[in-house]
Amino acid sequence: MLSYGASTSTLRVPHTVTLCYNKNPHHLPTTTTHTVVVTRRTLSLLATAFSVPILFRNSSVRSSEAAAATPRFSELPESGGVKVLDLRVGDGDYPVNGDQVAIHYYGRLAAKQGWRFDSTYDHKDETGEPIPFVFVLGSAKVIAGIQAAVRTMKVGGIRRVIIPPSQGYQNMDQEPVPPNFFDRQRLFTTIFNPTRLANGEGSTLGIIIFDIELVSLKHL
């Protein structure tokens, strides 16, 4: 299980947070200080993005290696703001629109302190094996953020994806969705909450975080 910790226990918000960066490779006492203003919601979303565990089995990425690395998200070009962090680069092919792809995922909703709304490892066949989510790349049935992330992955790769509301769920018919009715209701009543949307929270309510493993692809 991988975890990028982002502790906020020593911060009192909303206040200013001072960030110090040591630019001297020999660790001499030379620092540059930057002060930024953060809100409680901002810290909550950042903590969620960096602390979501990965439940993929047989991953070659070790927890010790992840803890030593500095997470660096990058925004995918022409993706509408989808940010990704590659945790393992695959060695297979890139998929293209029209390919049938199979992925395992672990999904969280940032608006509820990282509530896990679904995982393919909870979906089992008759032998107890987890069932991957299979879809055709380019299909309008699947949320755009997942498609943008998968389209730029190689088979065997694992990446963490932060999907903004505009690239996430636009309606309740899009996939993937939790098979459990109550989880679906909780997911969509949070994202499409009319009161909170009217209060201007639309920019954060629909933020979703996925850990995705591209298992296989098939050219159709």
Side-chain angles (χ1 to χ4, degrees), residues 105-132:
Y105 65 78
Y106 184 97
R108 286 185 179 248
L109 186 64
K112 285 190 174 292
Q113 295 77 48
W115 169 57
R116 188 196 74 166
F117 61 84
D118 196 20
S119 170
T120 52
Y121 279 99
D122 294 337
H123 313 164
K124 304 293 180 65
D125 62 18
E126 61 276 4
T127 66
E129 287 298 307
I131 303 172

Side-chain angles (χ1 to χ4, degrees), residues 63-145:
S63 296
S64 58
E65 294 172 349
T70 301
R72 295 183 181 276
F73 283 85
S74 60
E75 184 171 321
L76 294 177
E78 302 180 0
S79 68
V82 176
K83 294 180 173 60
V84 301
L85 171 66
D86 283 312
L87 304 173
R88 183 179 72 194
V89 177
D91 55 7
D93 294 333
Y94 286 107
V96 296
N97 282 347
D99 285 349
Q100 184 182 79
V101 296
I103 65 172
H104 277 301
Y105 65 78
Y106 184 97
R108 286 185 179 248
L109 186 64
K112 285 190 174 292
Q113 295 77 48
W115 169 57
R116 188 196 74 166
F117 61 84
D118 196 20
S119 170
T120 52
Y121 279 99
D122 294 337
H123 313 164
K124 304 293 180 65
D125 62 18
E126 61 276 4
T127 66
E129 287 298 307
I131 303 172
F133 174 58
V134 179
F135 66 96
V136 175
L137 195 62
S139 168
K141 294 182 179 180
V142 178
I143 60 175

Side-chain angles (χ1 to χ4, degrees), residues 19-23 30-34:
L19 307 176
C20 296
Y21 305 96
N22 192 328
K23 296 184 177 181
T30 301
T31 60
T32 300
T33 302
H34 301 276

Side-chain angles (χ1 to χ4, degrees), residues 18 41 49 66 157 187 190:
T18 300
R41 175 171 293 277
L187 173 65
T190 299

Side-chain angles (χ1 to χ4, degrees), residues 198-218:
N199 289 337
E201 298 182 55
S203 62
T204 57
L205 282 179
I207 296 176
I208 46 181
I209 303 165
F210 277 92
D211 287 333
I212 297 174
E213 179 178 15
L214 180 53
V215 179
S216 65
L217 68 82
K218 179 180 180 182

